[in-house]
């Protein structure tokens, strides 16, 4: 009589085989091995140890093996992050994680999709349902036999991850992070100092202070502003912003929200920032208060495209859009001049002309049309 082999014993043997391959540092398990030698050996072991009376047990085991098969195929080609890593992703990008992987969303909106298995929010100690939006700052763990997709819904997101992972990157959405990096190389965009996502904080809404600094940089006047001795009447301006506000006040670039308040932390809207860019391009002047029409006026003068106008009308305005609009403003033709804004800034010595070409090469995504 054949010696019976328990389900737990078979599963333990299979698990040891798989774990041994993973521990050996292989790129998980190759599909050729999985579909050939591994599967044939398991089938032979099962067939030799289970007779027809164990059909129910056989089917249960096969379902378990098929789940492991699917997990390994989905993970084929993945890499292993032994320590937590941080990545900035854009809309449509997905981080794929398998059993034992940890994912921690730091900023932006990320949705969980389960191919199989389960993901646990270990911060709250609850299992997350398929399709849920991950809570920011909560550590998530992929449970046994899990293949999970963490897909970015917001323009950008910053995610920390560890364990087995792979990326599925979107090719038809703007790469705001690349634009921010390109602008930084030109000295036009810097982070907030948060240390997350290199400090760009593209998932946050911009404020009046940040918008004013960008405006002065795009004018090519930052160095002059930082060394000026001008004053202003506002009592709520932090020390780091003080020279920028003084410069803008003396040149009539901007006003406060009252006689004594500038409100540097107040959120800036898309029309308000677009008005700043129109002034930098020479298509508007200080004193224009009809900010609501600035996107439409920008379309008329060729500063933005119809696709960008649609974006400004339908999406929340974030630092991601500030980077996007500022980046493509460099290619906009100045009012009354054959030069683009980028060419003028290069001519002023703000950066070498070659640096502008190199910055363009850093952005792989296409412009919205």
């Amino acid at each position: 009589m054949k010696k019976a082999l328990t389900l737990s014993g078979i599963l333990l043997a299979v698990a040891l085989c798989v774990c041994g391959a993973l521990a050996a540092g292989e790129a998980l398990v190759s599909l050729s091995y999985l579909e050939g030698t591994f599967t044939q050996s398991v089938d032979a072991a099962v067939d030799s140890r289970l007779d027809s009376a164990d059909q129910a047990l056989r089917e249960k085991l096969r379902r378990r093996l098929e789940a492991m098969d699917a997990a390994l195929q989905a993970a084929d080609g993945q890499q292993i992050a032994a320590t937590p890593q941080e990545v900035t992703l854009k809309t449509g990008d997905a981080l794929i994680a398998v059993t034992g992987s940890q994912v921690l969303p730091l900023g932006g909106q990320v949705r969980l999709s389960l191919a199989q298995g389960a993901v646990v929010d270990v911060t709250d100690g609850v299992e997350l349902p398929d399709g849920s939006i991950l809570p920011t700052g909560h550590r998530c763990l992929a449970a046994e036999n899990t293949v999970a997709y963490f897909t970015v819904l917001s323009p950008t997101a910053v995610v920390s991850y560890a364990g087995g992972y792979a990326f599925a990157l979107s090719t038809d959405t703007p790469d705001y992070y690349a634009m921010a990096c390109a602008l930084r190389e030109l000295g036009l965009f810097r982070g907030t100092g948060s240390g997350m996502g290199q400090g760009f904080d593209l998932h946050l809404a911009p404020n009046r202070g940040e918008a004013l600094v960008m405006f002065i940089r795009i004018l090519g006047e930052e160095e002059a502003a930082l060394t000026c001795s001008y004053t202003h009447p506002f009592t709520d301006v932090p020390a780091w912003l003080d020279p920028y506000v003084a410069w803008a006040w003396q040149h009539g670039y901007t006003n406060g929200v009252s006689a004594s308040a500038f409100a540097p932390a107040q959120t800036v809207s898309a029309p308000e920032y677009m008005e700043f860019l129109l002034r930098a391009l020479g298509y508007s002047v200080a004193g224009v208060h009809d900010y609501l029409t600035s996107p439409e006026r920008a379309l008329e003068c060729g500063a933005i495209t119809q696709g960008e106008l649609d974006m400004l009308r339908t999406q929340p305005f974030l630092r991601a859009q500030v980077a996007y609009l500022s980046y493509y403003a460099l290619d906009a033709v100045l009012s009354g001049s054959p030069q683009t804004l980028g060419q003028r800034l290069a001519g002023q010595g703000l950066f070498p002309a070659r640096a502008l070409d190199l910055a363009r090469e850093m952005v792989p995504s296409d412009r919205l049309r």
Side-chain angles (χ1 to χ4, degrees), residues 74-246:
D76 185 63
Q78 282 199 2
Q79 302 180 60
I80 303 296
T83 59
Q85 305 294 314
E86 185 179 291
V87 63
T88 299
L89 302 171
K90 62 185 183 301
T91 305
D93 288 351
L95 168 64
I96 306 170
V98 295
T99 301
S101 298
Q102 297 183 44
V103 176
L104 176 66
L106 299 173
Q109 193 174 57
V110 180
R111 180 179 61 202
L112 167 67
S113 298
L114 289 169
Q116 64 180 48
V119 169
V120 177
D121 179 345
V122 296
T123 302
D124 281 347
V126 297
E127 183 177 331
L128 294 170
D130 185 32
S132 60
I133 305 301
L134 301 186
T136 301
H138 284 219
R139 192 175 303 279
C140 302
L141 177 67
E144 184 179 6
N145 296 325
T146 292
V147 177
Y149 292 75
F150 298 85
T151 305
V152 176
L153 302 182
S154 51
T156 65
V158 181
V159 179
S160 173
Y161 62 94
Y165 72 95
F167 293 112
L169 303 179
S170 170
T171 58
D172 57 0
T173 53
D175 195 335
Y176 300 100
Y177 181 72
M179 295 174 197
C181 290
L183 289 171
R184 180 183 59 189
E185 292 301 306
L186 298 174
L188 298 176
F189 196 79
R190 300 183 190 124
T192 63
S194 70
M196 183 174 66
Q198 296 198 37
F200 289 140
D201 287 334
L202 300 179
H203 59 285
L204 299 179
N207 59 44
R208 280 172 53 84
E210 294 165 351
L212 179 63
V213 170
M214 279 299 298
F215 171 59
I216 292 176
R217 284 177 185 159
I218 286 177
L219 285 175
E221 299 177 359
E222 182 176 29
E223 184 177 351
L226 291 175
T227 57
C228 78
S229 58
Y230 296 147
T231 60
H232 60 76
F234 309 118
T235 59
D236 60 347
V237 178
W240 71 270
L241 186 60
D242 193 73
Y244 295 97
V245 174

Side-chain angles (χ1 to χ4, degrees), residues 8 12 52 65 78 101 140 158 214 222 246 248 266 279 298 360:
S8 60
L12 177 60
S52 58
L65 290 174
Q78 282 199 2
S101 298
C140 302
V158 181
M214 279 299 298
E222 182 176 29
Q266 181 176 302
R279 293 180 189 179
R360 291 192 180 99

